[in-house]
Amino acid sequence: MSALLAASRLIDSISRIMGKLSEYMVLFCCLISAGNAIVRYAFNYSSNGWLEIQWYLFAFVVMLGASHALNNNEHVRVDLIYGAVSDKAKIWIDVVGLILFLIPVCIFLTWLCWPFFALSYRQGEISGNAGGLIRWPVKLILVAGFALLSLQGISELIKRIAALTGHISIDTKYEKPLQ
C-alpha cells in the first residue's frame, strides 16, 4: 500500500502543478481578452488568432484544471445522499463512483480523443478563419486533460482504499454548493 500511496502523492503533485498552470492561464486569457478589446476599439484592428487563443486558453484551463479540482474535492458531485451518510459510506460512494464512472469514462474519452488529435497533427490542421491558429495543440489538450483526470481518479481511488483499510485518514467533508 505504501508504494501505491507514493504513486498517489506523485499524481497529486502533478495535478497541483497543472492547477497552478491553469491559474496563470486564466490570467493570460484575461490579459489577452482585455488587450484584444483595447486594440480593437482604440486602433480598429482585430485578429482571429487573438480571439482563438482565448478559447484555446479556456480549454487549457478547464482540461488541465479538472484533475486539480478532483484532487481538492471541489468537483461537481451529485449530492442525493452523500451529505446525509457516514464518512465510511461517503468513501464507499466515492469508490463506486470512481470505479464505475469517472475512471472508465475518462480512459474512454482519452482513447477517443487521441485519433482526433493525431489526424489534426498529421494534416497540420489550421483554423479556417483568416489569421487563425493551428488546431492540434487544443486537440492535444483534450487527450492530456482526460488522461490527467484518469490518473487523478486512480489516485483518489488509492486514497479511498487506503482509508477503508485504515492506512490513512481522509477528509470526506463536502460543502454543498449554495443555490
Side-chain angles (χ1 to χ4, degrees):
M1 185 54 73
S2 62
L4 289 174
L5 286 171
S8 176
R9 285 189 297 274
L10 176 64
I11 294 168
D12 290 351
S13 66
I14 292 169
S15 289
R16 278 190 296 277
I17 292 167
M18 292 298 111
K20 186 56 74 177
L21 184 62
S22 292
E23 290 173 10
Y24 286 111
M25 287 188 182
V26 169
L27 173 65
F28 294 145
C29 192
C30 291
L31 293 173
I32 289 170
S33 179
N36 196 29
I38 290 168
V39 168
R40 185 173 57 244
Y41 291 113
F43 302 107
N44 200 26
Y45 175 79
S46 184
S47 166
N48 286 327
W50 287 106
L51 295 173
E52 288 182 11
I53 196 70
Q54 291 175 62
W55 69 263
Y56 278 34
L57 286 171
F58 182 70
F60 285 27
V61 167
V62 171
M63 295 307 296
L64 295 180
S67 63
H68 183 61
L70 180 60
N71 182 33
N72 289 329
N73 201 26
E74 295 175 348
H75 56 288
V76 174
R77 185 185 302 273
V78 179
D79 185 17
L80 298 175
I81 59 171
Y82 195 84
V85 298
S86 69
D87 287 349
K88 190 170 186 174
K90 288 178 183 178
I91 294 171
W92 274 109
I93 290 170
D94 288 345
V95 166
V96 170
L98 289 165
I99 291 172
L100 292 181
F101 300 108
L102 186 119
I103 295 171
V105 167
C106 287
I107 290 172
F108 181 64
L109 288 170
T110 303
W111 177 75
L112 279 179
C113 289
W114 179 260
F116 182 62
F117 152 72
L119 180 63
S120 179
Y121 181 78
R122 278 194 310 273
Q123 291 179 342
E125 183 182 6
I126 298 175
S127 168
N129 297 321
L133 303 176
I134 55 174
R135 288 281 168 96
W136 67 262
V138 77
K139 292 180 179 184
L140 176 61
I141 212 65
L142 290 171
V143 176
F146 286 124
L148 286 168
L149 194 53
S150 300
L151 285 174
Q152 189 59 47
I154 292 167
S155 172
E156 296 303 315
L157 181 60
I158 291 167
K159 290 184 274 192
R160 297 314 186 272
I161 291 170
L164 287 171
T165 58
H167 288 87
I168 64 170
S169 65
I170 59 172
D171 183 16
T172 59
K173 182 180 178 225
Y174 172 69
E175 187 175 318
K176 187 175 180 179
L178 299 174
Q179 298 178 355

